[in-house]
Amino acid sequence: MPWSKLKNIILMILLVTNLCLLVLVGGQELQNSRLKSRAREDTIQLIRGRGVQVEENLIPQSMTLRPQTVQRDLDWEERTAAALLGTPVVAESRGGEVYRYFNPKGYVQFHSDGAFSAQLNPSDFPLGEDRRQGCLELMENMGLKGVILDETEDALLFRQTWEGKPLFSQQVTMVCREGGLASITAGRQLVGRPQEDPTRHTISIATALIEFVNGVSALGDVCNRIDGIEEGFVTAASLSGPTVLTPVWRVTTDTGAYQLDTVTGGVTRGF
């Protein structure tokens, strides 16, 4: 048989084999998706049977958030400080893995556990007529996106987000004076780009619902209704290792708010 015909036959066999594998994998994924959807629906009915009312559209369809880690990056911190203060900035090690970056406009300080603060000359950081928007723009200039949670006469509470999801434990208070930003008081912000952590995995939606109901009961509380579920992250930092981002649900109920760790299934009260 001529080589050209034999080559065409081999290519056809490979093509058919790849198509069969694609159909097989696609069929398995579809079957897994159907099983997860059925498990979710059955679990919703189960917790309703245990006296917890919930609208099905409040329950996420899937676990979209994955565990992440962030390595501390001193160069990134310096760039973040310079984005607020303007260049150049002077870097100063203050011991204990604390670094301060400063120039005549003020200083920005970072700690290894994510603690973050700043002292500023308010005349250099005018906020304009809409100080909420002014504060958000200053933070975004630093690469720190987020929302304003609360506002008082002279301060705003800023909570950071990452890819549109709240970082529940990353909040700072922004103090305003004389029409400008005067300081950012001790709180926590996440600086750097998170990377997915392949060593940790989230539980299923069905398991999360069961763990939540059981966890609330284990706390000695009674929950009769789930009013909302907000997906986000909490962070934990160590002196020598990376910052760990754990996906969680913030579950609001008729008796209060709870945090569900979607890796371990642990439940705690409030935030």
Side-chain angles (χ1 to χ4, degrees):
M1 179 181 296
W3 168 243
S4 59
K5 290 185 178 180
L6 181 60
K7 183 171 67 174
N8 289 337
I9 292 173
I10 293 173
L11 291 175
M12 184 63 67
I13 292 172
L14 291 174
L15 177 61
V16 171
T17 301
N18 288 336
L19 287 174
C20 290
L21 290 173
L22 181 62
V23 170
L24 179 62
V25 172
Q28 289 176 338
E29 290 183 353
L30 180 60
Q31 180 67 13
N32 289 337
S33 178
R34 288 174 176 170
L35 289 174
K36 290 179 181 178
S37 179
R38 179 61 182 272
R40 173 181 174 276
E41 294 170 3
D42 289 346
T43 306
I44 291 172
Q45 295 304 317
L46 176 63
I47 65 174
R48 285 173 176 169
R50 294 178 59 174
V52 180
Q53 297 305 306
V54 60
E55 297 295 329
E56 186 172 346
N57 63 351
L58 296 178
I59 307 299
Q61 293 288 337
S62 62
M63 290 294 187
T64 58
L65 303 184
R66 298 289 180 263
Q68 311 279 328
T69 60
V70 179
Q71 293 285 350
R72 189 177 190 187
D73 187 333
L74 297 180
D75 290 336
W76 197 309
E77 289 181 355
E78 183 170 355
R79 291 195 300 270
T80 298
L84 176 65
L85 299 173
T87 54
V89 294
V90 177
E92 178 185 38
S93 174
R94 300 180 64 83
E97 297 299 319
V98 178
Y99 289 86
R100 177 177 290 185
Y101 304 92
F102 62 92
N103 65 19
K105 293 182 180 180
Y107 74 77
V108 179
Q109 185 164 291
F110 298 93
H111 297 242
S112 61
D113 64 354
F116 170 89
S117 61
Q119 289 291 328
L120 309 168
N121 181 352
S123 63
D124 290 318
F125 302 93
L127 297 174
E129 294 183 2
D130 187 346
R131 66 175 187 172
R132 293 173 65 97
Q133 186 60 34
C135 284
L136 289 173
E137 288 177 357
L138 284 176
M139 297 302 281
E140 189 163 349
N141 287 343
M142 301 173 70
L144 305 175
K145 296 183 178 181
V147 297
I148 302 298
L149 295 180
D150 193 21
E151 182 175 2
T152 63
E153 184 177 348
D154 60 356
L156 299 93
L157 180 63
F158 172 86
R159 183 174 72 193
Q160 191 178 359
T161 61
W162 181 69
E163 294 193 343
K165 296 298 183 180
L167 301 175
F168 291 117
S169 50
Q170 308 305 102
Q171 300 181 9
V172 293
T173 298
M174 306 179 71
V175 179
C176 307
R177 190 173 66 246
E178 301 171 0
L181 182 61
S183 65
I184 301 174
T185 62
R188 282 180 168 76
Q189 296 289 270
L190 184 71
V191 178
R193 179 165 295 279
Q195 302 292 328
E196 189 166 329
D197 181 357
T199 66
R200 298 189 301 151
H201 306 280
T202 55
I203 56 181
S204 68
I205 296 293
T207 301
L209 291 171
I210 294 297
E211 292 286 1
F212 173 72
V213 174
N214 290 340
V216 170
S217 179
L219 290 171
D221 295 350
V222 177
C223 165
N224 298 309
R225 187 182 68 248
I226 294 176
D227 295 323
I229 296 176
E230 184 178 17
E231 297 177 279
F233 293 93
V234 294
T235 66
S238 64
L239 293 177
S240 58
T243 295
V244 175
L245 284 75
T246 299
V248 298
W249 286 0
R250 183 182 189 273
V251 185
T252 52
T253 74
D254 57 321
T255 56
Y258 298 87
Q259 176 181 295
L260 170 69
D261 184 319
T262 62
V263 175
T264 66
V267 177
T268 54
R269 293 188 185 97
F271 276 84

